[in-house]
Amino acid sequence: MSEVYATRRSRLRDRCQASGSATALISRPANVRYLAGAAPQGSVLLLGKTEDLLVCAGPLDDRPTEGRPVEALRIHALPGPGGDPAVAAADLAAAQGGVCLAVEEHHLTVARHRAIRSVVPRLRLADLGGAVEQLRVVKDEEEISCLRIGAEIADQALGELLESILVGRTERHLALELERRLVDHGADGPAFATSVATGPNAGRRAHRPTDRRVEEGDFLSVCLGATYRGYRCEIGRTFVIGTSPADWQIELYDLVFAAQRAGRESLAPGAAYRDVDRAARQVLDSAGYAQGLPPLTGHGVGLEIDEDPQLAPAAMGKLDACVPVTVEPGVHLPGRGGVRIDDTLVVRPEADGGPELLTITTKELLAL
Amino acid sequence: MSEVYATRRSRLRDRCQASGSATALISRPANVRYLAGAAPQGSVLLLGKTEDLLVCAGPLDDRPTEGRPVEALRIHALPGPGGDPAVAAADLAAAQGGVCLAVEEHHLTVARHRAIRSVVPRLRLADLGGAVEQLRVVKDEEEISCLRIGAEIADQALGELLESILVGRTERHLALELERRLVDHGADGPAFATSVATGPNAGRRAHRPTDRRVEEGDFLSVCLGATYRGYRCEIGRTFVIGTSPADWQIELYDLVFAAQRAGRESLAPGAAYRDVDRAARQVLDSAGYAQGLPPLTGHGVGLEIDEDPQLAPAAMGKLDACVPVTVEPGVHLPGRGGVRIDDTLVVRPEADGGPELLTITTKELLAL
């Protein structure tokens, strides 16, 4: 297991050296965790000239941790409070004879960057850019297995909720109930703030649960995910409350379902991000819902819930095998509600059976 | 109500002008919320030369919001996805005839700062520093009232938990139960990740709940808080499970209680931050626990759970009236457990009755 992290660091080191920096400072927590196996709060990773170091803000025992590194990566803990591990790491990089240090300019603040420059002026600072994020796009089977277990947990939590009485309960209570069930089934916690939207709120992306109660005839849309060993998945479903859905509800549901299926079916190694987005989007466009569509119809998932790639009209790039993504088109009609359907899938070649669906809760329109 | 925000912005503008910048770009979410009444995800606030603007990443309806601005602050929404509201705001600042724009260098990343410079090269960028954080230290009675309600909610949630059966339940379940009760009683949500620590974990600061079950004879330490209208409070208590505490438990509890009382009693307008810290710390020091004490014994609370001031040995500055702080010393004995006691109080002058205790759950050592 520990070799996984060493291999990842060695791939990153190759990239750094190719672009002229022998050493790199990784500060974005998910990137630290990806390369070190853990990211204690405030810690940074130094990819050093002679040795890699996890630099922590204090002794590990006293700090809230995201788990401990699972391997023999040496840990350098700052002795007292108030120090910035990024500055200490830059100092250590210079002590190892480093000349140029690549930093994550999209994560490091201007103030921390300035502090590094002033403490270690002889170190030339370069930009690592999204190099670690790019490494993270394609997952290994161990990572996919964590996502698969997370998806099973989310399916279980959702399934149990559907068996309970829903009418009269508030969005906030249903969301909390789902989060409790996620943990009951072994999740580290929710992957993101669980969204439960009823009636006119249904179908809104990332709707924050309110005190509105579920009523007969409502659309109910739910979006949740589990974090399992750090990996985050996502599932979204829309239901109708009551005995039978209204005609407009069936029509809208069928439309979003067709869009989501088109998106799912276009997932393949080599497919352009924008083509996957277009496949889902054009179904909604051609039904007259071009206005008000969300900016993306899906995105990568992993150690963060919103990773590369973005499945959006202007996105550049193509899917690889073993990239987990969401496909989540939706339509919201102001004042009436709407539908969202959201799955997490792993891109797989046709020869392996095509895209692997991780979130297997039915997408039939259930009347609850 | 809307005047509150306009007044805050006008105070900030005075500070900016005193330091040579007529305009400022506020990007840190809690600061945006403090000055605008709301901070939709990704939004920034422009304190402009002719007009203030809340610049949002997209139309408000489609975005997860932290509530809407409660006043007539004009909103500028970016038309499409992918744009950076900070860059757009800088552009608008220049369009208003701004020459120098103060930005939050402790929040803005190097990459965003560079993007602003390249899009609006004629604008000179300065550092706003922690100007808004400084304004936020002293609270008005409206803010304190939100903290007071949050503290009542946390007291209620904790009180209910104490009436239930604890032995055999896991730390994670107790933490979830507390968070559900917080929301039941009207909290927006937990103020931070609820910490429940049993047995050898008890007394660890910010301990992440595990699957360890509560056992007879354990110390049980709990730290939780409610967010109410954005304001975050904190309470921590330690209990003993079983009929009667062991002698070492009583001794350790009495010691931490004495330290916490000393800290509370030293809260007064004009008291140096470090003196409050020292009051609590020296009780533990002189009992032989100098090693392994946390870097601070308290901190400010408000729109964030960890705000200025820091009550720590090297902290510079003095308390003012109407500053809410925590007092939270603790001792953790590796392998055995420990005690933390944590209150949120508001600094008040002697003439007004001294520090106002917001978290009123008993600090007697309860055997549950």
Side-chain angles (χ1 to χ4, degrees):
Chain A
M1 189 59 194
S2 87
E3 283 158 29
V4 170
Y5 304 105
T7 305
R8 290 174 183 171
R9 291 200 300 275
S10 133
R11 289 179 62 203
L12 179 62
R13 193 184 310 273
D14 291 346
R15 290 205 180 194
C16 287
Q17 281 168 348
S19 63
S21 298
T23 62
L25 172 66
I26 290 87
S27 55
R28 188 171 175 170
N31 290 347
V32 174
R33 181 163 183 167
Y34 182 74
L35 297 168
Q41 200 181 344
S43 63
V44 302
L45 175 71
L46 173 65
L47 219 63
K49 202 170 168 189
T50 56
E51 186 187 23
D52 297 344
L53 287 168
L54 185 67
V55 184
C56 299
L60 279 190
D61 266 341
D62 282 4
R63 310 211 51 94
T65 61
E66 291 276 338
R68 283 164 158 283
V70 292
E71 55 155 333
L73 179 68
R74 200 156 71 83
I75 293 169
H76 179 91
L78 299 197
D84 181 346
V87 174
D91 209 13
L92 291 162
Q96 287 187 16
V99 174
C100 178
L101 180 69
V103 301
E104 299 192 290
E105 292 192 349
H106 60 300
H107 179 263
L108 218 52
T109 65
V110 176
R112 296 178 85 188
H113 195 263
R114 177 165 299 152
I116 292 173
R117 278 191 322 208
S118 87
V119 170
V120 203
R122 68 185 177 283
L123 211 54
R124 192 164 59 80
L125 298 186
D127 185 11
L128 185 62
V132 186
E133 284 85 350
Q134 283 164 35
L135 289 179
R136 284 167 48 198
V137 169
V138 174
K139 270 71 176 177
D140 63 32
E141 288 301 324
E142 185 80 26
E143 295 180 280
I144 291 173
S145 160
C146 291
L147 286 166
R148 196 180 290 120
I149 294 170
E152 278 173 21
I153 292 170
D155 278 323
Q156 282 177 306
L158 183 56
E160 288 171 0
L161 188 82
L162 300 186
E163 287 169 13
S164 64
I165 303 280
L166 298 171
V167 171
R169 297 170 71 191
T170 69
E171 293 175 355
R172 293 216 294 175
H173 275 95
L174 293 175
L176 279 166
E177 168 95 10
L178 283 166
E179 295 192 353
R180 187 179 63 73
R181 290 185 186 278
L182 290 174
V183 175
D184 276 352
H185 288 294
D188 308 340
F192 53 92
T194 299
S195 180
V196 174
T198 63
N201 299 328
R204 292 181 62 195
R205 184 162 195 262
H207 170 72
R208 295 183 139 229
T210 69
D211 288 325
R212 189 182 182 284
R213 291 175 194 278
V214 177
E215 293 174 15
E216 288 282 334
D218 274 357
F219 262 139
L220 169 71
S221 62
V222 174
C223 189
L224 74 157
T227 306
Y228 183 78
R229 296 195 181 166
Y231 284 82
R232 293 161 196 265
C233 65
E234 187 173 320
I235 178 173
R237 292 289 184 270
T238 301
F239 311 98
V240 163
I241 304 298
T243 45
S244 63
D247 287 346
W248 74 274
Q249 290 177 319
I250 295 173
E251 276 165 37
L252 192 60
Y253 192 91
D254 287 348
L255 179 72
V256 174
F257 178 81
Q260 205 254 357
R261 186 178 53 199
R264 278 187 281 120
E265 290 178 349
S266 66
L267 294 177
Y273 302 152
R274 59 170 63 172
D275 289 343
V276 177
D277 176 74
R278 191 191 300 127
R281 192 176 293 271
Q282 72 186 5
V283 175
L284 306 177
D285 269 5
S286 59
Y289 293 108
Q291 281 295 321
L293 290 187
L296 49 82
T297 53
H299 54 80
V301 296
L303 288 170
E304 291 173 293
I305 190 59
D306 195 352
E307 295 194 352
D308 291 332
Q310 301 287 300
L311 305 180
M316 300 291 284
K318 290 180 178 180
L319 288 173
D320 279 307
C322 300
V323 174
V325 294
T326 67
V327 177
E328 47 172 313
V331 170
H332 177 253
L333 308 178
R336 300 179 76 190
V339 176
R340 296 189 64 78
I341 304 174
D342 184 351
D343 279 312
T344 301
L345 305 98
V346 181
V347 176
R348 303 277 192 191
E350 188 74 32
D352 293 351
E356 177 188 353
L357 182 67
L358 300 188
T359 43
I360 60 170
T361 297
T362 181
K363 290 186 280 286
E364 270 184 277
L365 176 54
L366 298 182
L368 303 172
Chain B
M1 189 58 195
S2 87
E3 283 158 28
V4 170
Y5 304 106
T7 305
R8 290 175 183 170
R9 291 200 300 274
S10 134
R11 289 178 62 202
L12 178 62
R13 193 184 310 272
D14 291 347
R15 290 206 180 194
C16 287
Q17 281 170 345
S19 63
S21 298
T23 62
L25 172 65
I26 290 86
S27 55
R28 186 171 175 172
N31 290 346
V32 173
R33 181 161 183 169
Y34 182 74
L35 297 168
Q41 202 182 342
S43 63
V44 302
L45 175 70
L46 173 66
L47 219 63
K49 202 170 168 189
T50 57
E51 185 188 23
D52 297 344
L53 287 169
L54 185 68
V55 183
C56 300
L60 280 189
D61 265 342
D62 281 3
R63 310 211 50 93
T65 60
E66 291 277 337
R68 284 165 156 282
V70 292
E71 54 154 334
L73 179 67
R74 200 156 70 83
I75 294 170
H76 179 91
L78 300 197
D84 182 345
V87 174
D91 210 12
L92 291 163
Q96 288 187 12
V99 175
C100 176
L101 180 70
V103 300
E104 298 193 291
E105 292 192 349
H106 60 299
H107 178 264
L108 219 51
T109 65
V110 176
R112 296 179 84 189
H113 196 261
R114 176 166 300 152
I116 293 173
R117 278 191 322 207
S118 87
V119 170
V120 203
R122 68 186 178 283
L123 210 53
R124 190 164 61 78
L125 298 186
D127 185 12
L128 185 62
V132 186
E133 285 85 349
Q134 283 163 35
L135 289 180
R136 284 167 49 198
V137 169
V138 175
K139 270 71 176 176
D140 64 31
E141 288 303 323
E142 185 81 24
E143 295 180 281
I144 291 173
S145 161
C146 291
L147 286 166
R148 196 180 289 120
I149 294 170
E152 279 173 21
I153 292 171
D155 277 324
Q156 282 177 306
L158 183 56
E160 288 171 2
L161 188 82
L162 300 186
E163 287 169 14
S164 65
I165 304 280
L166 299 171
V167 171
R169 297 171 72 190
T170 69
E171 293 175 355
R172 292 216 293 173
H173 275 95
L174 292 175
L176 280 167
E177 168 95 9
L178 283 166
E179 295 191 353
R180 188 180 62 75
R181 290 185 187 277
L182 290 173
V183 175
D184 276 352
H185 289 294
D188 308 340
F192 52 91
T194 298
S195 178
V196 174
T198 63
N201 299 329
R204 291 182 62 197
R205 185 160 195 265
H207 170 73
R208 293 184 142 230
T210 70
D211 288 325
R212 188 182 184 284
R213 289 174 195 279
V214 176
E215 294 175 13
E216 289 281 333
D218 274 357
F219 263 138
L220 168 71
S221 63
V222 174
C223 189
L224 75 157
T227 306
Y228 183 78
R229 296 196 179 164
Y231 283 83
R232 294 163 196 263
C233 65
E234 187 173 319
I235 178 172
R237 292 290 185 269
T238 301
F239 310 99
V240 163
I241 304 298
T243 46
S244 63
D247 287 347
W248 73 274
Q249 290 177 318
I250 296 173
E251 276 165 35
L252 192 61
Y253 192 91
D254 287 349
L255 179 72
V256 174
F257 179 81
Q260 205 254 357
R261 187 179 53 199
R264 279 187 281 120
E265 290 178 348
S266 67
L267 294 176
Y273 301 153
R274 60 169 63 171
D275 290 343
V276 177
D277 176 74
R278 190 190 302 129
R281 191 176 295 271
Q282 73 185 4
V283 174
L284 306 177
D285 269 6
S286 58
Y289 293 109
Q291 281 296 322
L293 291 187
L296 49 82
T297 53
H299 55 81
V301 294
L303 288 170
E304 292 173 291
I305 190 59
D306 196 352
E307 295 194 353
D308 292 333
Q310 302 286 301
L311 305 180
M316 300 291 284
K318 292 180 176 179
L319 289 173
D320 279 309
C322 300
V323 175
V325 294
T326 67
V327 178
E328 47 170 314
V331 170
H332 176 255
L333 309 177
R336 300 180 74 190
V339 176
R340 296 188 65 79
I341 305 174
D342 184 352
D343 279 312
T344 302
L345 306 99
V346 181
V347 176
R348 303 279 193 189
E350 189 73 32
D352 292 351
E356 178 188 353
L357 182 68
L358 300 188
T359 45
I360 61 170
T361 297
T362 182
K363 289 185 282 283
E364 269 184 275
L365 176 54
L366 298 182
L368 303 171

